[in-house]
Amino acid sequence: MSLFKARDWWSTVLGEKEEFDQGCLCLADVDNSGNGHDKIIVGSFMGYLRIFNPHPVKTGDGAQAEDLLLEVHLQDPILQVEVGKFVSGSELLHLAVLHSRKLCVYSVSGTLGNVEHGNQYQIKLMYEHNLQRTACNMTYGSFGGVKGRDLICIQSMDGMLMVFEQESYAFGRFLPGSLLPGPLAYSSRTDSFITVSSCRQVESYKYEVLAFATDADKRQETEQQKVGSGKRLVVDWTLNIGEQALDICIVSFNQSASSVFVLGERNFFCLKENGQIRFMKKLECSPSCFLPYCSVSEGTINTLIGNHNNMLHIYQDVTLKWATQLPHIPVAVRVGCLHDLKGVIITLSDDGHLQCSYLGTDPSLFQAPKVESRELNYDELDIELKELQKVIKDVNKSQGVWPMTEREDDLNVFAVVSPNFDSVSQATDAEVGTDPVPSVTVKVTLQNRVVLPKAKLSIYVQPPLELTCDQFTFEFMSIPRVIQCKFRLPLKLICLPGQPSKTASHKLTIDTNKPPVSLLSLFPGFASQSEDDQVNVMGFRFLGGFQVTLLASKTSQRYRIQSEQFEDLWLITNELILRLQEYFEKQGIKDFACSFSGSMPLQEYFELIDHHFELRIHGEKLEELLSERAVQFRAIQRRLLTRFKDKTPAPLQHLDTLLDGTYKQVIALADAVKKNQGDLFQSFTRLKSATHLVILLIGLWQKLSADQIAILEAAFLPLQEDTQELGWEETVDAAISHLLKTCLSKSSKEQALNLNSQLDIPKDTSRLKKHITLLCDRLAKGGRLCLSTDTATPQTMVMPGGCTTIPESDLEERSVEQDSTELFTNHRHLITETPMPEVSPTQGVSE
């Protein structure tokens, strides 16, 4: 706890999800009680007006029900609240509430109630003014030296000052050259309005000049004057401060002098009445609000400055006298007298934390206990240390990095997919082409054995699947562990029954060691049951995509998958293998196995890699061109701005035409970049599907274990998202190069090669394709994947049955046209060495 922390006297939180700003806080004896105690008036952007009279039983108490004198919802957002003599013929204080299009003046009064219920307060609308322009802020005072009453001046969003003499509208004047409204204050000593313009200079306008300025057209009616046409006003004095201002406050030293305080973004300034700088102070932190007030030392002024570091600094002129910590970032600060306690600091945050605090420290009553001195037995300590070191060593040997426990995990995650689709689809896109997009509900269950504060659940699905919500946070559940749970979604979520196709550009055949299974048993719901209950051909159609045909041989133990798109083969192939494994597991058969003895479809895979890489290069060129056009656009803007500011008009020399043409180019390039990003996303999704298929075929081809397939997936699928800074090609190339250098290396010379530690986008994909080809060749010659470098010894040439070797010398010079009997074929039909004849989809497959 900081020694200089603000001492909490009373605090409360206003409403829920309400917003506040510097004009929403005011202190005054608004109910005219006459006891000198201030009331806290707070208005919010949600339209709630609240009046508090704190009187805690002890220091630090929260708000009690009787502290809230009044709460009323005024419907419109409240921009500012002020208290003054706003009603004619009355010396009492009234409350002025500024809305965006309305100014309302209320009287606040209290009625003595019963003992149980306390006093009752209510507000009464005295009058209101409907504004023709959107209001920004307001100030009040005895404009023109009037006695016994206060006038109100409202500044609109377009820089017009509207003056109201209590119940009547007086006049409106536009500030010259106004673009954006700034803070506004009134100086009673000089009878001037002081503001900071969008030119970053402090400007002072005499009320007399504003009042006697004639309209541009004297014949206009009063209603037209309210809309506001006027003569250019003459500024009294200006001072360029070089930054935007957050607030302005005017403080009088005595009857003969006053100072204008301006809070900037990096400095705060103290100005004399004529605009000369009295002093300024550079602030170390970004300020949020301030409040100058008279100091006890003659000739000096104290200033409270709140900043975005939750601190409140107290300056005496430019000297920092005190710094105190607040529990929030203040947007408004006031000092008042509450419950006979003078000098209470009231702060308000933008989210409604209202606090009354005071400076100083509370005495600490804690005393450190005396330490009992005793002699240490160093021999016993050495024995204990050795025992502990032995325990630590044993634990590290047996359990590894993470401690292993025999009991159940503290947190378990289970996922259950609903067997039926949602009756009303929750998909963001209702249709893809002409196909409606369904949705399915997944129930995720968390089971915890201990109290887990704040657990975070993240869900990921592969594109093009989407989630309605991918992040969940449970406050009731901090353990340093990650629990993963994988689940399968129904195939019908993205696939519909389709018409089988007789011909296709891409085909592959999966061999099994068991008799063929009816496709109707494997894929119920995708075909109608035939008479013999043996369906050996089935069609699938992806939502908005191509068709895939699955054929089962009647006599042999093979299945063929064919499609017009290479990447579309993966999902049906993978689903077929999984469903076959589940089918035979239910039958009690444990030796079921699938294999792939055909040629690896690397050429089709390389085409998808090239297409993805071309889109990346094209996107990089578009972004460079867009950056050049943006620089050109800003340069033309600077040229035009210089011409417009020049006092001597000069011809534009077609700069406006060049600006318009450059702007159109920037828009066209931005659209092209956006379109390329969409194409790149789709291409990356297709590339990932094709990569899954290649990994699956390699695993079936070489009968890889689950650990080896996991290494392949980590090497080929390292990224969930593809970016220009870190792309798929360079990442996969680095991973495959590491495998070729370690576990798949042929000699110690290859292991000594150094890999580039920096991943840059390559010039082309030839190196990547060479490494992928070499990886398959090493696996075909008996290489096995592992993560341990101890096994990275030169591989022996053990050839599995049915595999043909590739000469190492012609890896780079391999011709595009290869013989179909070689290992890696380039033709479109992915079939086994014993081809299956083309048959009609309705007749199935026969040998």
Side-chain angles (χ1 to χ4, degrees):
M1 179 180 295
S2 173
L3 177 67
F4 300 101
K5 183 178 180 180
R7 316 312 299 177
D8 186 10
W9 182 70
W10 178 89
S11 62
T12 186
V13 179
L14 307 178
E16 293 183 1
K17 298 182 180 181
E18 295 188 43
E19 296 183 9
F20 304 82
D21 206 350
Q22 62 182 13
C24 297
L25 177 63
C26 179
L27 260 69
D29 186 16
V30 67
D31 59 343
N32 300 279
S33 62
N35 56 11
H37 295 171
D38 293 328
K39 313 298 186 300
I40 304 176
I41 304 104
V42 183
S44 74
F45 289 166
M46 299 297 291
Y48 286 95
L49 177 68
R50 299 178 179 92
I51 301 178
F52 292 93
N53 183 22
H55 49 283
V57 178
K58 60 180 180 178
T59 300
D61 281 353
Q64 304 297 323
E66 58 270 18
D67 295 341
L68 180 60
L69 304 183
L70 178 69
E71 178 176 356
V72 62
H73 190 202
L74 301 180
Q75 304 299 328
D76 297 324
I78 298 175
L79 306 182
Q80 191 172 345
V81 289
E82 298 291 350
V83 175
K85 300 176 182 179
F86 300 136
V87 177
S88 59
S90 174
E91 291 287 333
L92 299 177
L93 297 177
H94 289 78
L95 175 63
V97 180
L98 178 64
H99 303 285
S100 57
R101 284 282 185 170
K102 185 167 57 176
L103 171 65
C104 301
V105 175
Y106 299 92
S107 66
V108 180
S109 59
T111 304
L112 294 177
N114 296 329
V115 177
E116 295 86 0
H117 304 287
N119 299 338
Q120 300 176 4
Y121 287 80
Q122 59 272 346
I123 61 172
K124 179 182 178 182
L125 179 64
M126 304 304 294
Y127 63 87
E128 67 178 13
H129 292 288
N130 292 317
L131 307 178
Q132 301 295 323
R133 297 178 179 275
T134 303
C136 175
N137 51 26
M138 69 175 175
T139 186
Y140 71 96
S142 54
F143 305 161
V146 297
K147 302 295 183 181
R149 56 182 179 143
D150 292 323
L151 279 64
I152 299 176
C153 178
I154 299 176
Q155 180 178 208
S156 67
M157 294 298 293
D158 55 356
M160 181 181 182
L161 297 183
M162 297 172 285
V163 178
F164 296 88
E165 294 182 355
Q166 296 179 339
E167 291 87 349
S168 61
Y169 172 80
F171 58 86
R173 299 290 183 267
F174 277 105
L175 297 179
S178 175
L179 293 178
L180 294 173
L184 180 66
Y186 172 73
S187 174
S188 58
R189 277 197 47 78
T190 60
D191 195 23
S192 303
F193 294 102
I194 301 173
T195 185
V196 178
S197 67
S198 54
C199 298
R200 300 184 175 183
Q201 62 183 10
V202 184
E203 300 177 352
S204 175
Y205 297 92
K206 291 284 189 180
Y207 175 76
E208 183 180 5
V209 176
L210 289 170
F212 288 98
T214 57
D215 292 337
D217 188 357
K218 295 182 180 179
R219 295 173 297 178
Q220 288 184 341
E221 298 295 332
T222 304
E223 284 297 321
Q224 294 296 328
Q225 295 175 7
K226 292 182 181 180
V227 177
S229 60
K231 178 184 178 182
R232 279 183 65 91
L233 301 176
V234 179
V235 65
D236 187 26
W237 55 262
T238 62
L239 175 66
N240 194 335
I241 60 174
E243 58 183 310
Q244 296 292 342
L246 302 179
D247 200 0
I248 295 178
C249 191
I250 299 172
V251 178
S252 297
F253 284 104
N254 46 50
Q255 297 296 327
S256 60
S258 64
S259 294
V260 178
F261 282 81
V262 180
L263 179 65
E265 296 173 324
R266 295 173 295 275
N267 308 273
F268 84 91
F269 306 84
C270 178
L271 313 180
K272 297 180 181 179
E273 295 176 349
N274 57 1
Q276 297 178 355
I277 295 181
R278 189 187 300 274
F279 63 81
M280 66 172 289
K281 174 66 177 178
K282 182 176 178 60
L283 303 174
E284 297 179 356
C285 303
S286 176
S288 59
C289 62
F290 86 139
L291 177 68
Y293 61 95
C294 293
S295 173
V296 293
S297 301
E298 185 175 355
T300 62
I301 289 184
N302 287 353
T303 307
L304 299 173
I305 300 181
N307 59 41
H308 286 84
N309 289 348
N310 294 26
M311 296 294 292
L312 186 66
H313 291 171
I314 295 91
Y315 290 88
Q316 189 176 65
D317 289 348
V318 295
T319 305
L320 180 63
K321 291 295 185 179
W322 196 268
T324 182
Q325 185 179 4
L326 296 174
H328 55 259
I329 300 175
V331 296
V333 58
R334 300 290 185 269
V335 175
C337 176
L338 301 175
H339 199 57
D340 292 330
L341 183 62
K342 297 181 179 180
V344 179
I345 300 175
I346 298 93
T347 55
L348 175 67
S349 69
D350 60 350
D351 56 354
H353 284 78
L354 180 65
Q355 176 173 317
C356 300
S357 55
Y358 59 91
L359 304 180
T361 59
D362 291 338
S364 177
L365 302 179
F366 172 76
Q367 293 183 354
K370 295 181 179 180
V371 179
E372 296 182 2
S373 60
R374 60 184 180 90
E375 295 182 0
L376 298 178
N377 190 334
Y378 291 99
D379 294 336
E380 293 181 358
L381 292 178
D382 288 339
I383 295 174
E384 184 180 359
L385 178 61
K386 291 179 180 179
E387 291 178 353
L388 292 176
Q389 287 177 342
K390 184 178 182 300
V391 171
I392 294 174
K393 187 176 180 180
D394 293 341
V395 169
N396 289 337
K397 282 184 177 180
S398 61
Q399 298 184 359
V401 179
W402 294 103
M404 303 295 292
T405 57
E406 296 180 357
R407 60 180 175 82
E408 297 179 358
D409 291 335
D410 293 336
L411 177 64
N412 292 322
V413 183
F414 306 96
V416 177
V417 181
S418 175
N420 301 319
F421 289 159
D422 299 334
S423 57
V424 179
S425 176
Q426 304 297 318
T428 54
D429 296 330
E431 293 182 354
V432 175
T434 58
D435 299 324
V437 179
S439 67
V440 67
T441 301
V442 179
K443 181 180 179 181
V444 181
T445 304
L446 305 181
Q447 290 183 354
N448 57 304
R449 302 176 67 253
V450 296
V451 178
L452 305 176
K454 198 164 186 177
K456 185 176 182 180
L457 174 64
S458 300
I459 304 176
Y460 171 78
V461 294
Q462 294 188 6
L465 297 176
E466 292 185 357
L467 296 164
T468 56
C469 184
D470 59 352
Q471 297 284 344
F472 298 90
T473 302
F474 303 93
E475 298 293 340
F476 66 89
M477 299 191 137
S478 130
I479 57 174
R481 68 176 61 188
V482 176
I483 307 296
Q484 292 185 353
C485 173
K486 294 185 178 181
F487 55 89
R488 289 169 56 191
L489 294 173
L491 183 61
K492 277 194 172 183
L493 192 62
I494 59 172
C495 192
L496 299 175
Q499 185 67 27
S501 176
K502 182 178 180 181
T503 59
S505 300
H506 303 277
K507 304 175 183 178
L508 61 87
T509 301
I510 302 298
D511 297 331
T512 65
N513 60 352
K514 298 298 177 185
V517 181
S518 171
L519 297 182
L520 182 61
S521 302
L522 297 178
F523 297 91
F526 280 89
S528 58
Q529 187 172 1
S530 60
E531 296 180 357
D532 56 357
D533 197 23
Q534 293 291 326
V535 176
N536 65 333
V537 61
M538 188 171 291
F540 303 88
R541 182 173 62 86
F542 293 110
L543 294 179
F546 291 87
Q547 292 187 353
V548 179
T549 301
L550 175 61
L551 301 97
S553 174
K554 291 184 177 181
T555 56
S556 64
Q557 302 170 357
R558 298 188 227 172
Y559 301 86
R560 175 184 293 173
I561 306 95
Q562 57 188 30
S563 176
E564 292 295 331
Q565 294 290 327
F566 173 69
E567 61 273 11
D568 290 345
L569 296 173
W570 168 66
L571 186 61
I572 302 302
T573 305
N574 184 68
E575 195 73 20
L576 171 66
I577 295 175
L578 291 176
R579 298 195 180 201
L580 283 173
Q581 292 173 349
E582 293 175 352
Y583 175 83
F584 286 108
E585 284 180 1
K586 292 180 181 179
Q587 302 294 328
I589 301 174
K590 298 182 179 181
D591 59 343
F592 171 77
C594 296
S595 61
F596 175 73
S597 56
S599 303
M600 290 301 298
L602 291 187
Q603 183 60 32
E604 290 81 358
Y605 185 47
F606 290 162
E607 290 178 2
L608 291 173
I609 294 177
D610 291 336
H611 178 65
H612 176 263
F613 185 74
E614 289 173 1
L615 289 175
R616 286 188 63 194
I617 297 298
H618 183 59
E620 192 177 47
K621 293 180 180 179
L622 287 176
E623 290 182 358
E624 291 178 359
L625 193 58
L626 178 61
S627 178
E628 293 176 1
R629 291 296 181 267
V631 171
Q632 176 179 324
F633 185 74
R634 289 191 291 268
I636 299 173
Q637 282 183 319
R638 288 193 294 270
R639 288 280 189 91
L640 281 173
L641 187 61
T642 303
R643 295 290 179 91
F644 291 150
K645 286 186 176 180
D646 194 356
K647 295 182 179 179
T648 304
L652 298 180
Q653 297 180 344
H654 302 289
L655 283 176
D656 54 342
T657 305
L658 186 59
L659 181 70
D660 182 66
T662 307
Y663 173 76
K664 292 179 179 178
Q665 291 181 1
V666 169
I667 296 299
L669 286 172
D671 293 338
V673 169
K674 184 177 180 181
K675 181 180 182 300
N676 186 81
Q677 289 175 348
D679 295 341
L680 184 62
F681 177 79
Q682 294 182 0
S683 176
F684 186 57
T685 302
R686 292 194 292 267
L687 178 60
K688 286 197 296 183
S689 297
T691 303
H692 280 292
L693 178 61
V694 170
I695 294 174
L696 176 65
L697 295 180
I698 292 177
L700 297 176
W701 173 44
Q702 291 297 317
K703 298 179 174 58
L704 301 182
S705 63
D707 293 338
Q708 292 177 319
I709 293 177
I711 295 175
L712 275 182
E713 291 178 347
F716 279 87
L717 297 168
L719 303 176
Q720 298 293 352
E721 184 178 355
D722 194 35
T723 61
Q724 290 290 351
E725 293 78 14
L726 183 62
W728 182 87
E729 286 80 5
E730 57 267 28
T731 310
V732 173
D733 187 34
I736 296 178
S737 299
H738 176 75
L739 293 177
L740 295 174
K741 175 180 173 294
T742 54
C743 60
L744 295 179
S745 64
K746 294 182 60 179
S747 63
S748 59
K749 181 179 179 181
E750 289 186 357
Q751 296 182 16
L753 295 176
N754 294 324
L755 299 178
N756 187 9
S757 60
Q758 185 175 1
L759 297 181
D760 297 323
I761 184 170
K763 295 181 180 180
D764 52 42
T765 59
S766 59
R767 175 185 170 90
L768 172 62
K769 291 187 288 188
K770 173 186 174 182
H771 286 166
I772 294 176
T773 306
L774 191 58
L775 173 72
C776 295
D777 177 63
R778 296 282 174 86
L779 290 175
K781 292 181 178 181
R784 284 300 175 257
L785 299 170
C786 62
L787 295 179
S788 176
T789 57
D790 297 337
T791 60
T793 58
Q795 301 291 342
T796 58
M797 300 303 176
V798 179
M799 298 302 300
C803 297
T804 309
T805 62
I806 299 180
E808 298 260 345
S809 59
D810 62 340
L811 283 179
E812 296 186 15
E813 294 82 16
R814 185 177 300 279
S815 173
V816 176
E817 296 293 335
Q818 290 184 345
D819 186 72
S820 60
T821 60
E822 290 183 344
L823 179 64
F824 306 122
T825 181
N826 290 336
H827 60 70
R828 290 287 184 177
H829 297 277
L830 311 180
I831 58 178
T832 60
E833 295 180 358
T834 306
M836 300 176 67
E838 295 289 343
V839 295
S840 172
T842 58
Q843 297 177 353
V845 178
S846 61
E847 290 293 316

